[in-house]
């Protein structure tokens, strides 16, 4: 780490983090702009405002590391290298989608990129990441497993059972909790005891754990690098809680501050801590990256996103017969 | 003139009246006090009843056990789940514990518990937000299972369920919440275990379960235009199941078609058909038919989901075959097929 504390990572890494976050943001902004056309006919859970966690963690992973996620998974999928066109086509319900149109936004997958799948039953995939880590241990493989989940997932039984098992067997699993203070419209205060931080739950299971700023991409990345190093050394599971904030409504494209479950001041405060704007300023001021470099990168992203939407829109819907394929594995492989 | 309100409002009113009538009633569920109020079914209840209206952690299994615990000492909890799929986490507590408590302790304890679950459909709800697994619950002795299809029954069955001393699974289809009907303002009960004849007919008995009752009524209307008189029975309760009403009807019409929101294989339609075959075989003019979901998880793409869900047209086609009549053209469905009405623009 940089002893001055000004920049924690190299300019190259910082630029990569920016690119990942800006790309996720642009994709989801485009979903916001076009959801009203009613051609993306599935629920979407946007991660606008939370991009730094996905970017910072996935930047610390290698090719044979594999991840799972939940309902709010676009950012994790993209940060891990999931195919953008296939994701957009999936949201549009097209045959060229990453799940052939059978899953939609809540069921993304890209095996080649190490994205093992996202499903929207809260807590459900945490155990699967532990299972991926168990498989790696039994087969003597080096890759680590990562589970991304929200603050509500720690309320499930499967969370505790999974951590207990992972700790018992010292499995190489990284547990990433994005604490955005809400589950749908319910604040933490009606769901979890006051004065007991989420990170304490992991410690209670004997797991190395830390709580950090989830809107600081470099801080996230440095913490993830440390975690990955410890996981590869065989020191058992690591838990990271990241404080962050969802800008848009729980499900869907709109802002929802009008319905009155969160204070406008709270929202404004988090808005002013935009992970992307903060990081961009840091790139210019601390890393001395030229404005023009960022401009070019942003233009490339905008074009890539436009192309992905065009691809999704122009792709064919799956034919009716597709409905009854792939129910059992023997027919599909 | 009676008052007309929505199915969602009827649920809300029934809950409100139960909370007001009995201090032992409490309501708990994810998002119950939030601004959306579980599709409008719990709006305003927190303001009126305070501490007995509660949000909860995402802990479906434990919260079911908590409700059972409160119930065995005399409270009457209502637990809500925004999707049946989420309630699957509580299968252990429901099936092993709640359903058996009265029996396995020789009647020493009872579990007056209502568990509301919403069956999702449309706008890409997909494989994990749309399952219609009523047959699972109906398979378990000790549980009662109701599936109101009208605003009137939504209120009357909910009050009856809350006042029942047994665990009652109360299943509401997402496409029913916005439907309207005449609902008396005062509290009333619809007896659990009684089907209702919604339309009289001579040629065939159509038994509808939950939302499919609406499609059966639409089909009956179309059939009437072709000179076929269909009787429509809204099953309302699956356990106990009112076989007598269905049998009496089939004895007159000689034909039976069951329209279910769930899967056909191992589904509740099979139970209805079995009872008829066992008890009214001599009156059957043709083999009974079941309409329901194919043996396929729910696909998300609207291009696939449109072929997945049966509609009134499928009922009409089946009936024409049963009566040896030629196929009829159904009026084309206007607008997209993955929404209950044009006002529904997702995402949930
Ligand atoms: C087992 C289960 N219960 C309830 C739900 C409904 N649900 C969907 S997302 C969500 C909120 C989850 O909150 P959190 O884990 O904090 O993630 P966030 O949405 O804030 O990213 C809930 C309760 C669900 N999907 N699964
Ligand atoms: Mg959250």
């Amino acid at each position: 780490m940089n002893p001055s504390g000004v920049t924690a990572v190299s300019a190259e890494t910082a630029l990569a983090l920016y690119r990942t976050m800006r790309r996720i943001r642009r994709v989801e902004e485009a979903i916001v702009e076009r959801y009203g056309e009613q051609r993306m006919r599935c629920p979407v859970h946007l991660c606008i405002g939370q991009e730094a966690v996905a970017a910072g963690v996935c930047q610390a992973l290698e090719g044979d590391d594999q991840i799972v996620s939940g309902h709010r998974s676009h950012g994790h999928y993209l940060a891990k290298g999931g195919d953008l066109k296939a994701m957009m086509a999936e949201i549009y319900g097209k045959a060229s989608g990453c799940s052939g149109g059978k899953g939609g936004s809540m069921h993304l997958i890209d095996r080649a990129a190490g994205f093992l799948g996202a499903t929207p039953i809260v807590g459900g995939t945490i155990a699967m990441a532990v299972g991926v880590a168990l498989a790696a241990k039994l087969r003597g493989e080096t890759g680590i497993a990562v589970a991304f989940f929200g603050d509500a997932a720690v309320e499930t039984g499967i969370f505790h059972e999974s951590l207990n098992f992972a700790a018992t067997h010292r499995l190489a699993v990284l547990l990433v909790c994005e604490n955005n203070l809400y589950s749908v419209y319910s604040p933490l205060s009606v769901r979890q005891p006051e004065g007991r931080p989420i990170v304490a739950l992991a410690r209670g299971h004997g797991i190395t754990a830390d709580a950090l700023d989830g809107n600081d991409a470099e801080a996230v990345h440095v913490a993830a690098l440390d975690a990955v190093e410890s996981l590869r050394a065989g020191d058992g599971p690591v838990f990271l809680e990241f404080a962050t904030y969802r800008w848009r409504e729980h499900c869907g494209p709109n802002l929802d501050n009008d319905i009155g479950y969160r204070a406008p001041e709270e929202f404004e405060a988090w808005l002013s801590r935009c992970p992307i704007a903060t990081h961009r300023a840091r790139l210019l001021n601390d890393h001395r990256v030229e404005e023009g470099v960022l401009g070019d990168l942003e233009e490339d992203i905008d074009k890539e996103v436009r192309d992905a939407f065009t691809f999704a829109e122009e792709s064919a819907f799956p034919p009716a017969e597709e409905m009854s394929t792939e129910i059992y594995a023997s027919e599909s492989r | 003139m009676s008052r007309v309100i929505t199915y969602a409002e009827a649920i809300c009113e029934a809950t409100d009246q139960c909370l007001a009538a009995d201090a032992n009633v409490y309501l708990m569920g994810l998002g119950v006090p939030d601004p959306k109020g579980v599709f409008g079914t719990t709006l305003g209840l927190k303001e009126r009843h305070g501490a007995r209206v509660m949000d909860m952690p995402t802990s479906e299994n434990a919260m079911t056990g908590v409700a059972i615990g409160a119930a065995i000492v005399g409270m009457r909890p209502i637990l809500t789940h925004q999707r049946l799929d989420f309630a699957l986490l509580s299968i252990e507590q429901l099936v092993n514990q709640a359903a058996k408590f009265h029996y396995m302790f020789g009647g020493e304890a009872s579990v007056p518990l209502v568990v509301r679950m919403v069956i999702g459909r449309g706008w890409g709800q997909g494989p994990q937000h749309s399952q219609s697994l009523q047959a699972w619950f109906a398979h378990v002795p000790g549980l009662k299972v109701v599936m109101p299809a009208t605003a009137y029954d939504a209120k009357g069955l909910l009050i009856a369920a809350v006042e029942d001393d047994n665990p009652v699974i109360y299943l509401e289809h997402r496409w029913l919440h916005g439907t309207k009907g005449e609902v008396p303002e005062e509290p009333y009960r619809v007896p659990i275990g009684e089907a209702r004849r919604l339309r009289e007919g001579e040629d065939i008995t159509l038994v509808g379960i939950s939302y499919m009752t609406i499609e059966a009524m639409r089909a009956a209307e179309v059939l009437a235009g072709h000179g076929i008189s269909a009787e429509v029975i809204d099953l309302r309760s699956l356990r106990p199941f009112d076989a007598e009403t269905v049998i009496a009807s089939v004895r007159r019409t000689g034909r039976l078609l069951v329209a279910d929101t769930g899967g056909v294989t191992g589904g509740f339609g099979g139970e209805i058909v079995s009872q008829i075959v066992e008890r009214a075989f001599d009156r059957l003019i043709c083999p009974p038919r079941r309409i329901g979901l194919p043996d396929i998880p729910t696909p998300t793409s609207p291009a696939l989901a449109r072929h997945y869900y049966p509609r009134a047209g499928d009922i009409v086609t089946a009936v024409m075959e049963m009566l040896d009549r030629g196929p009829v053209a159904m009026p084309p469905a206007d607008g997209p097929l993955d929404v209950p009405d044009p006002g529904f623009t997702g995402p949930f």
Side-chain angles (χ1 to χ4, degrees):
Chain A
M1 225 188 281
N2 186 318
S4 75
V6 179
T7 56
V9 302
S10 71
E12 194 192 351
T13 301
L15 200 59
L17 289 171
Y18 181 71
R19 186 175 182 283
T20 304
M21 289 195 288
R22 176 59 168 67
R23 186 161 168 267
I24 296 169
R25 173 73 57 95
R26 188 58 214 130
V27 169
E28 294 207 323
E29 281 175 350
I31 293 174
V32 166
E33 287 154 20
R34 303 179 65 171
Y35 198 74
E37 294 170 3
Q38 301 193 24
R39 298 177 64 178
M40 291 176 258
R41 301 181 80 86
C42 63
V44 289
H45 301 80
L46 305 181
C47 69
I48 294 178
Q50 305 185 194
E51 298 92 341
V53 178
V57 170
C58 290
Q59 180 83 24
L61 302 178
E62 303 285 340
D64 59 349
D65 298 334
Q66 308 197 79
I67 77 174
V68 297
S69 179
H71 56 287
R72 201 174 305 285
S73 72
H74 298 169
H76 310 136
Y77 172 98
L78 291 172
K80 188 65 174 71
D83 187 281
L84 173 59
K85 285 183 172 162
M87 172 177 129
M88 287 321 307
E90 189 59 36
I91 296 175
Y92 273 81
K94 300 299 180 71
S96 55
C98 60
S99 304
K102 283 172 171 148
S105 160
M106 299 195 291
H107 303 274
L108 300 180
I109 187 165
D110 189 334
R111 300 284 311 230
F115 191 85
L116 286 178
T119 74
I121 302 300
V122 171
T125 54
I126 298 173
M128 295 171 204
V130 173
V132 171
L134 174 68
K137 183 177 174 177
L138 294 177
R139 297 196 296 213
E141 291 166 359
T142 53
I144 63 164
V146 184
F148 286 94
F149 48 90
D151 46 286
V154 310
E155 297 155 14
T156 65
I158 199 169
F159 168 81
H160 293 279
E161 296 170 32
S162 300
L163 266 63
N164 177 66
F165 182 82
T168 302
H169 293 275
R170 301 175 67 80
L171 298 177
V173 58
L174 175 59
L175 302 147
V176 181
C177 178
E178 288 178 53
N179 181 355
N180 62 9
L181 307 175
Y182 293 89
S183 166
V184 193
Y185 305 115
S186 304
L188 273 168
S189 59
V190 301
R191 302 180 284 122
Q192 295 179 32
E194 213 190 311
R196 190 272 290 132
I198 286 175
V199 69
L201 295 174
R203 293 197 179 116
H205 284 289
I207 290 177
T208 308
D210 211 349
L212 299 121
D213 179 359
N215 277 20
D216 179 340
E218 294 191 2
V220 172
H221 182 58
V222 169
L225 281 175
D226 286 350
V228 167
E229 195 183 304
S230 153
L231 286 158
R232 294 204 201 285
D235 293 340
V238 178
F239 181 99
L240 296 174
E241 175 191 347
F242 292 110
T244 184
Y245 201 74
R246 146 175 73 73
W247 288 9
R248 300 249 150 200
E249 61 189 335
H250 163 70
C251 179
N254 302 310
L255 294 166
D256 66 356
N257 301 314
D258 54 313
I259 67 173
Y261 72 102
R262 53 186 190 182
E265 305 78 51
E266 178 185 280
F267 177 76
E268 295 298 333
W270 281 97
L271 220 58
S272 71
R273 299 192 47 232
C274 171
I276 299 179
T278 320
H279 190 70
R280 193 177 198 281
R282 194 185 271 164
L283 279 173
L284 296 172
N285 302 327
D286 302 342
H287 293 290
R288 308 272 169 218
V289 174
E290 312 234 330
E291 179 75 52
V293 172
L294 296 185
D296 289 349
L297 181 149
E298 286 157 9
E299 246 175 64
D300 287 351
I301 290 172
D302 294 352
K303 177 171 183 320
E304 191 203 353
V305 173
R306 276 196 304 276
D307 290 348
F309 272 76
T310 305
F311 172 81
E313 292 196 315
E314 290 177 354
S315 287
F317 278 113
E321 315 84 73
E322 269 301 308
M323 180 173 82
S324 42
T325 62
E326 290 150 354
I327 299 166
Y328 292 100
S330 54
E331 3 163 347
S332 52
R333 275 180 221 287
Chain B
M1 196 30 218
S2 187
R3 183 186 52 139
V4 172
I5 59 174
T6 66
Y7 185 100
E9 287 164 344
I11 290 176
C12 195
E13 185 169 277
T15 312
D16 188 29
Q17 291 174 348
C18 289
L19 284 160
D22 184 349
N24 276 315
V25 175
Y26 79 86
L27 170 67
M28 189 189 260
L30 286 172
V32 158
D34 84 18
K36 301 273 175 88
V38 191
F39 313 114
T41 63
T42 61
L43 288 175
L45 298 177
K46 176 84 191 163
E47 290 71 14
R48 282 202 287 288
H49 303 282
R52 284 186 293 132
V53 177
M54 302 172 75
D55 209 320
M56 71 178 207
T58 307
S59 311
E60 284 86 357
N61 193 32
M63 290 309 107
T64 305
V66 167
I68 295 171
I72 59 179
V73 294
M75 292 200 79
R76 295 186 169 273
I78 306 171
L79 205 55
T80 71
H81 300 284
Q82 303 211 11
R83 285 290 181 270
L84 179 152
D85 316 61
F86 310 157
L88 295 183
L89 274 77
S90 64
I91 281 288
E92 191 284 311
Q93 291 289 320
L94 289 174
V95 175
N96 286 337
Q97 313 290 356
K100 314 289 195 289
F101 236 70
H102 190 66
Y103 185 82
M104 71 188 173
F105 293 120
E108 283 294 311
S110 58
V111 183
L113 163 69
V114 178
V115 187
R116 288 177 47 203
M117 303 177 191
V118 176
I119 296 163
R121 174 170 168 183
W123 203 274
Q125 295 304 302
Q128 296 182 334
H129 277 59
S130 67
Q131 294 172 87
S132 198
L133 300 175
Q134 56 268 26
W136 286 22
F137 300 106
H139 189 63
V140 180
L143 297 180
K144 295 189 178 184
V145 182
V146 298
M147 299 184 80
T150 62
Y152 180 89
D153 288 336
K155 178 170 174 181
L157 276 171
L158 185 52
I159 294 178
V162 170
E163 292 178 354
D164 198 288
D165 285 336
N166 299 285
V168 180
I169 310 296
Y170 180 102
L171 300 170
E172 46 198 80
H173 194 281
R174 181 72 187 94
W175 283 18
L176 293 171
H177 284 134
T179 62
K180 291 184 177 162
E182 288 188 5
V183 177
E185 285 180 42
E186 67 279 4
Y188 60 92
R189 287 105 197 128
V190 167
I192 295 174
E194 279 185 20
R196 177 155 71 128
R197 187 165 65 181
L198 287 185
R199 184 180 170 121
E200 273 181 58
E202 307 297 324
D203 300 325
I204 184 160
T205 302
L206 306 179
V207 176
I209 293 179
S210 184
Y211 173 75
M212 286 309 282
T213 302
I214 310 267
E215 297 284 354
M217 287 295 279
R218 282 183 192 145
E221 201 57 47
V222 175
L223 290 167
H226 294 275
I228 295 168
S229 154
E231 178 143 308
V232 178
I233 292 175
D234 177 7
L235 197 64
R236 303 197 294 191
S237 294
L238 275 64
R239 179 183 276 274
F241 151 51
D242 182 1
E244 304 314 319
T245 296
V246 180
I247 288 168
S249 172
V250 176
R251 283 194 168 282
R252 278 192 299 100
T253 64
R255 296 182 183 89
L256 170 68
L257 179 145
V258 182
D260 189 4
T261 59
V264 169
T265 304
F268 200 77
E271 176 60 26
I272 300 173
V273 167
S274 301
Q275 296 249 6
I276 294 299
V277 168
E278 284 173 355
R279 299 169 63 186
F281 187 77
D282 55 320
R283 297 302 185 97
L284 286 173
I285 299 167
C286 67
R289 288 280 285 260
R290 291 172 292 164
I291 298 274
L293 302 178
D295 278 339
I296 302 172
T298 314
T300 299
S301 172
L304 298 180
R306 62 183 294 128
H307 304 293
Y308 182 70
Y309 287 104
R311 285 181 292 276
D314 302 286
I315 298 174
V316 170
T317 302
V319 171
M320 296 310 272
E321 286 169 11
M322 292 170 80
L323 283 136
D324 281 329
R325 299 268 299 261
V328 301
M330 281 293 287
D334 47 345
L337 297 178
D338 62 345
V339 289
D341 59 73
F344 189 102
T345 55
F348 205 65

